[in-house]
């Protein structure tokens, strides 16, 4: 195989709990270190993230640290792009660890499939060994929680898709598309990949490449994340000229059905019956998923937690999406800092 220079760009902010494991997993890659450069782009962390990275820089010269005063991911990605020298651009996340063949496999498939972007699947892990963290991890990787997002729920074969996590791109892709959109605190990968597909680009999911992703450790952080995912989707749709997927509308429909159905059920016994039936079905699905998770994890509390966690995901995303539509229609900025 022709070994190509790879530039890895990894935006970070206050990742001291995870960054060392991430760095070690990169150092242990089976790809030649003299053909890699690792660019950590830090949003001015206030913990020991920078200190940990700098410690590894002393021993591994291919690791570099860049500053991101804007503290937002797309700015970090664009700064990394401007500094990078590689023929292949790979975006990583400091919240994850990667198998030893991660870089070599993705680079191989990038050229074997004549793709423009390839990526692996998430193995979503709980942040802590608690019932709440286990429920968050399970809901974030279950079709009922995140729909048909294949990189989150898993796939059995290599497939063309609309987006992948932490893409591996040919450098020339960015000459066609331009940089990442700095209007998007969240969903910048989705918008970029949508732009790439609109230009005829091909994106493939490689299921045998598995990323260990750590889910959020509290319900508040989970809800905040999904709210922001929903908040930026309408702006992504506006920029792309059309929605990339149908599944993104389901939480919004759920939210509207919850509110409008609740109001109309006051005046109609038929609507009340349908409303209650849907809610009971929703509860039943959550309990079934929780029961299956409880058996696997030997954690009985999951039975009761799963409906609640699913509800929080869908409601947070739906509210964010509704606010995002309002912002797009009335020309208001959605800009928020996810690090706060």
């Amino acid at each position: 195989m022709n070994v190509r220079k790879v530039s890895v760009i990894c935006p970070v902010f206050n990742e001291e709990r995870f960054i060392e494991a991430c760095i070690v997993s990169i150092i242990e890659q089976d790809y030649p270190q003299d053909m890699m450069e690792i660019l950590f782009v830090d949003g001015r962390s206030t913990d020991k993230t920078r200190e940990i990275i700098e410690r590894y820089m002393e021993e591994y010269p291919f690791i570099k640290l860049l500053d991101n005063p804007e503290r937002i991911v797309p700015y970090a990605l664009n700064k990394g792009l401007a500094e990078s020298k590689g023929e292949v651009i790979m975006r990583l996340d400091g919240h994850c660890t990667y198998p030893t063949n991660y870089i070599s496999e993705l680079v191989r498939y990038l050229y074997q499939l004549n793709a423009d972007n390839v990526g692996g699947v998430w193995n979503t892990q709980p942040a802590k060994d608690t019932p709440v963290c286990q429920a968050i991890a399970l809901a974030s990787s279950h079709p009922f929680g995140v729909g048909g997002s294949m990189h989150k729920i898993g796939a059995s074969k290599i497939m063309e898709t609309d987006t992948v996590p932490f893409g591996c791109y040919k450098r020339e892709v960015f000459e066609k598309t331009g940089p990442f959109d700095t209007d998007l605190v969240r969903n910048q990968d989705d918008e970029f990949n949508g732009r790439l597909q609109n230009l005829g680009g091909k994106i493939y999911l490689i299921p045998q490449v598995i990323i260990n992703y750590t889910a959020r450790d509290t319900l508040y952080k989970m809800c905040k994340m999904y709210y922001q995912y929903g908040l930026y989707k309408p702006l992504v749709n506006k920029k792309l000229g059309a929605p990339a997927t149908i599944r993104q509308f389901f939480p919004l429909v759920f939210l509207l059905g919850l509110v409008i159905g609740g109001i109309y059920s006051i005046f109609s016994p038929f609507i009340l019956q349908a409303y209650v039936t849907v809610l009971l079905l929703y509860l039943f699905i959550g309990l079934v998923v929780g029961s299956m998770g409880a058996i696997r994890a030997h954690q009985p509390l999951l039975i009761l937690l799963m409906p609640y966690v699913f509800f929080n995901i869908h409601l947070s995303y739906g509210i964010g999406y509704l606010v995002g539509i309002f912002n797009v229609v009335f020309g208001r900025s959605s800009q928020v800092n996810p690090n706060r």
Side-chain angles (χ1 to χ4, degrees):
M1 182 184 75
N2 184 18
V3 179
R4 305 169 192 274
K5 177 78 172 183
V6 175
S7 295
V8 174
I9 304 171
C10 185
V12 293
F13 177 80
N14 284 357
E15 294 284 4
E16 69 175 359
R17 284 181 56 203
F18 305 100
I19 193 63
E20 186 156 19
C22 173
I23 294 172
V24 170
S25 74
I26 295 171
I27 290 171
E28 292 178 347
Q29 292 294 305
D30 60 13
Y31 206 78
Q33 290 186 352
D34 62 345
M35 295 299 288
M36 292 194 302
E37 62 171 354
I38 315 300
L39 306 175
F40 288 101
V41 192
D42 179 62
R44 297 188 171 174
S45 294
T46 56
D47 64 1
K48 295 182 179 179
T49 298
R50 295 178 72 98
E51 179 183 321
I52 294 168
I53 295 170
E54 288 167 348
R55 189 171 76 241
Y56 279 92
M57 285 171 60
E58 294 175 2
E59 186 174 353
Y60 300 96
F62 63 91
I63 297 177
K64 302 175 183 177
L65 179 62
L66 305 177
D67 193 39
N68 176 28
E70 293 84 2
R71 309 179 86 177
I72 294 173
V73 168
Y75 282 101
L77 295 173
N78 291 339
K79 288 179 188 295
L81 278 171
E83 292 288 330
S84 64
K85 305 293 191 297
E87 187 179 350
V88 174
I89 304 296
M90 186 173 289
R91 180 251 206 268
L92 295 191
D93 188 281
H95 219 68
C96 302
T97 58
Y98 306 88
T100 55
N101 63 346
Y102 184 80
I103 293 176
S104 59
E105 281 290 276
L106 289 186
V107 172
R108 179 167 73 90
Y109 278 108
L110 182 66
Y111 288 91
Q112 184 175 304
L113 296 170
N114 193 26
D116 297 282
N117 179 18
V118 294
V121 300
W122 278 352
N123 171 32
T124 304
Q125 302 176 324
K128 302 171 186 174
D129 189 23
T130 66
V132 170
C133 287
Q134 289 173 346
I136 291 171
L138 178 55
S140 299
S141 57
H142 193 278
F144 190 63
V146 295
S149 186
M150 300 306 294
H151 70 272
K152 294 180 181 178
I153 66 175
S156 59
K157 62 180 180 179
I158 294 173
M159 59 188 296
E160 191 171 347
T161 186
D162 58 311
T163 192
V164 290
F166 321 142
C168 174
Y169 303 89
K170 293 175 181 174
R171 187 178 193 88
E172 59 260 30
V173 161
F174 297 93
E175 298 170 5
K176 302 175 187 176
T177 61
F180 289 89
D181 193 320
T182 53
D183 288 339
L184 298 167
V185 171
R186 295 282 187 194
N187 302 329
Q188 64 278 151
D189 292 324
D190 292 346
E191 187 278 335
F192 183 87
N193 287 324
R195 208 185 327 154
L196 176 57
Q197 286 187 303
N198 287 345
L199 294 170
K202 300 293 184 181
I203 303 169
Y204 288 91
L205 184 70
I206 314 299
Q208 61 267 38
V209 177
I210 299 173
I211 305 160
N212 288 321
Y213 169 78
T214 303
R216 296 299 185 265
D217 60 352
T218 67
L219 283 171
Y220 171 76
K221 291 179 183 178
M222 181 201 75
C223 290
K224 178 183 174 183
M225 180 179 70
Y226 280 101
Y227 172 82
Q228 290 175 353
Y229 282 152
L231 180 67
Y232 286 95
K233 270 296 184 183
L235 183 56
V236 170
N237 296 341
K238 178 184 177 183
K239 288 175 177 289
L240 295 177
T245 62
I246 299 299
R247 66 177 180 265
Q248 65 182 268
F249 295 111
F250 292 161
L252 176 62
V253 171
F254 175 73
L255 172 65
L256 294 177
L258 201 63
V259 175
I260 297 172
I263 294 172
Y264 276 93
S265 66
I266 298 173
F267 307 102
S268 168
F270 174 76
I271 293 177
L272 176 60
Q273 185 178 11
Y275 187 74
V276 171
T277 300
V278 171
L279 289 181
L280 288 175
L281 178 61
Y282 187 94
L283 177 63
F284 175 74
I285 293 172
L287 290 172
V288 169
V289 174
S291 298
M292 295 171 64
I295 293 171
R296 288 195 300 269
H298 306 289
Q299 181 51 261
L301 279 177
L302 286 178
I303 300 173
L304 299 177
L305 281 171
M306 291 311 301
Y308 182 67
V309 174
F310 281 135
F311 184 79
N312 275 273
I313 287 177
H314 297 149
L315 207 61
S316 299
Y317 191 105
I319 292 171
Y321 204 105
L322 198 60
V323 175
I325 291 174
F326 179 86
N327 290 344
V328 167
V329 169
F330 292 98
R332 294 180 56 181
S333 172
S334 296
Q335 198 74 276
V336 297
N337 191 333
N339 301 319
R340 293 176 179 168

